[in-house]
């Protein structure tokens, strides 16, 4: 069995790779950076913000055997006041978080490299369910993945037996989350990426349409749907009002 994980060198992606390897998958990790830890996953370097790099990576991926499980996990962010974030940062977020995974997925499907009966996961964000002041471009890019997945899910399942899962993780205990969190945020309240990876892979293998790892994520999503204005106000108070600097990946 073969698996592909984008952004598999650190954080949630690294945990996904480790668990897939333990499950007996041959794993390909597509990432700009070398893995933080020693891993037997096959590494393909790609800066997902570069159209040329994505096209070259797609050529490399389509030269491999087909994949039985694919997770488009890679993501970057920029936090702060929207108007103070550099235009180039907004463009890079859209390229990495939305354009690259959609292009890679479409290219792999066209080449027949996502096997019939495979599982495909798109890592979106809980911001799909509520406003996210302070990270609007991130929220928009991650929402694009959720919409794309919704559009292809039924067609791919009917024609190819491929099941698509959209993943909505809450805050995780990663370096990425720490960089973008307000000063004084309690990292201990965040879920460990290894635990999130276990729950996400369980849902993907079961073919679930949505994966919200952890009770807190499910509660947040529910509240975002029934009281969107209240949740957006809460996000503003809890995050946006405490951001005193601009941080971009």
């Amino acid at each position: 069995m073969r698996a592909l994980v984008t952004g598999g060198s650190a954080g949630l992606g690294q945990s996904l790779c480790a668990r897939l390897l333990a499950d007996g998958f041959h794993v390909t990790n597509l990432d700009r950076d070398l893995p933080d830890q020693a891993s037997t996953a096959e590494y393909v370097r790609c800066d997902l913000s570069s159209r040329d790099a994505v096209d070259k990576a797609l050529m490399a991926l389509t030269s491999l055997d087909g994949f039985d499980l694919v997770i488009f996990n890679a993501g970057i962010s920029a936090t702060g006041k929207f108007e103070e974030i550099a235009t180039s940062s907004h463009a890079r977020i859209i390229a990495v978080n939305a354009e690259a995974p959609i292009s890679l997925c479409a290219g792999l499907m066209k080449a027949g490299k996502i096997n019939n009966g495979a599982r495909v996961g798109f890592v979106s964000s809980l911001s799909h369910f509520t406003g996210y002041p302070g990270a609007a471009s991130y929220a928009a890019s991650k929402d694009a993945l959720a919409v794309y997945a919704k559009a292809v899910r039924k067609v791919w399942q009917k024609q190819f037996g491929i099941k698509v899962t959209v993943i909505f993780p809450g805050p995780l205990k990663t370096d990425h989350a720490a960089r973008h969190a307000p000063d004084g945020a309690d990292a201990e309240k965040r879920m460990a990426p290894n635990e999130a990876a276990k729950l996400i892979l369980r849902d993907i293998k079961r073919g679930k349409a949505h994966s919200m790892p952890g009770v807190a994520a499910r509660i947040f999503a529910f509240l975002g749907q029934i009281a969107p204005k209240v949740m957006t106000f809460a996000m503003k108070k809890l995050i946006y009002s405490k951001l005193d600097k601009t941080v971009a990946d």
Side-chain angles (χ1 to χ4, degrees), residues 9 28-34 42-48 50 53-54 56-58 60:
S9 290
T28 299
N29 164 29
L30 184 72
D31 202 309
R32 180 188 63 181
D33 302 318
L34 286 167
E42 177 182 22
Y43 172 66
V44 176
R45 187 183 185 283
C46 179
D47 181 351
L48 294 173
S50 165
V54 170
K56 289 178 182 177
L58 185 57

Side-chain angles (χ1 to χ4, degrees), residues 11-241:
L12 176 61
Q14 185 179 70
S15 293
L16 290 167
C17 285
R19 284 194 168 271
L20 287 167
L21 287 167
D23 286 346
F25 280 84
H26 178 96
V27 179
T28 299
N29 164 29
L30 184 72
D31 202 309
R32 180 188 63 181
D33 302 318
L34 286 167
D36 288 345
Q37 301 173 6
S39 173
T40 57
E42 177 182 22
Y43 172 66
V44 176
R45 187 183 185 283
C46 179
D47 181 351
L48 294 173
S49 68
S50 165
R51 182 71 235 185
D52 288 341
V54 170
D55 289 342
K56 289 178 182 177
L58 185 57
M59 290 179 62
L61 294 174
T62 54
S63 71
L64 304 174
D65 291 337
F67 297 101
D68 303 293
L69 192 153
V70 179
I71 304 178
F72 295 100
N73 160 77
I76 60 173
S77 188
T79 47
K81 292 184 178 180
F82 185 89
E83 66 277 11
E84 294 180 0
I85 297 172
T87 303
S88 58
S89 293
H90 292 300
R92 188 163 180 265
I93 289 167
I94 299 300
V96 172
N97 295 5
E99 181 183 347
I102 291 172
S103 297
L104 287 169
C105 188
L108 290 170
M109 285 294 291
K110 183 178 180 180
K113 292 299 180 177
I114 299 181
N115 296 333
N116 286 358
R119 300 291 187 266
V120 178
F122 294 93
V123 178
S124 182
S125 167
L126 283 176
S127 60
H128 174 72
F129 301 100
T130 188
Y132 195 172
S137 293
Y138 172 82
S141 65
K142 287 297 187 178
D143 205 42
L145 288 188
V147 175
Y148 180 79
K150 181 180 180 180
V152 302
R153 180 183 295 120
K154 289 186 178 180
V155 175
W156 287 1
Q157 182 169 348
K158 183 176 181 180
Q159 293 186 355
F160 310 109
I162 295 171
K163 293 190 176 181
V164 175
T165 302
V166 188
I167 301 133
F168 302 102
L172 301 177
K173 197 181 298 184
T174 64
D175 291 341
H176 180 270
R179 283 198 304 275
H180 291 281
D183 289 341
D186 186 359
E188 294 306 312
K189 293 182 179 179
R190 303 177 194 140
M191 178 178 282
N194 187 54
E195 178 65 18
K198 179 180 73 173
L199 298 173
I200 289 166
L201 289 174
R202 179 198 64 188
D203 291 341
I204 289 176
K205 290 174 183 178
R206 291 177 178 176
K208 288 191 173 183
H210 302 130
S211 176
M212 299 173 193
V215 174
R218 293 193 291 274
I219 292 174
F220 186 96
F222 175 72
L223 293 175
Q225 292 176 85
I226 66 170
K229 291 184 179 180
V230 172
M231 290 302 291
T232 299
F233 177 78
M235 291 287 284
K236 181 180 178 181
K237 294 288 287 184
L238 292 171
I239 297 177
Y240 183 74
S241 64

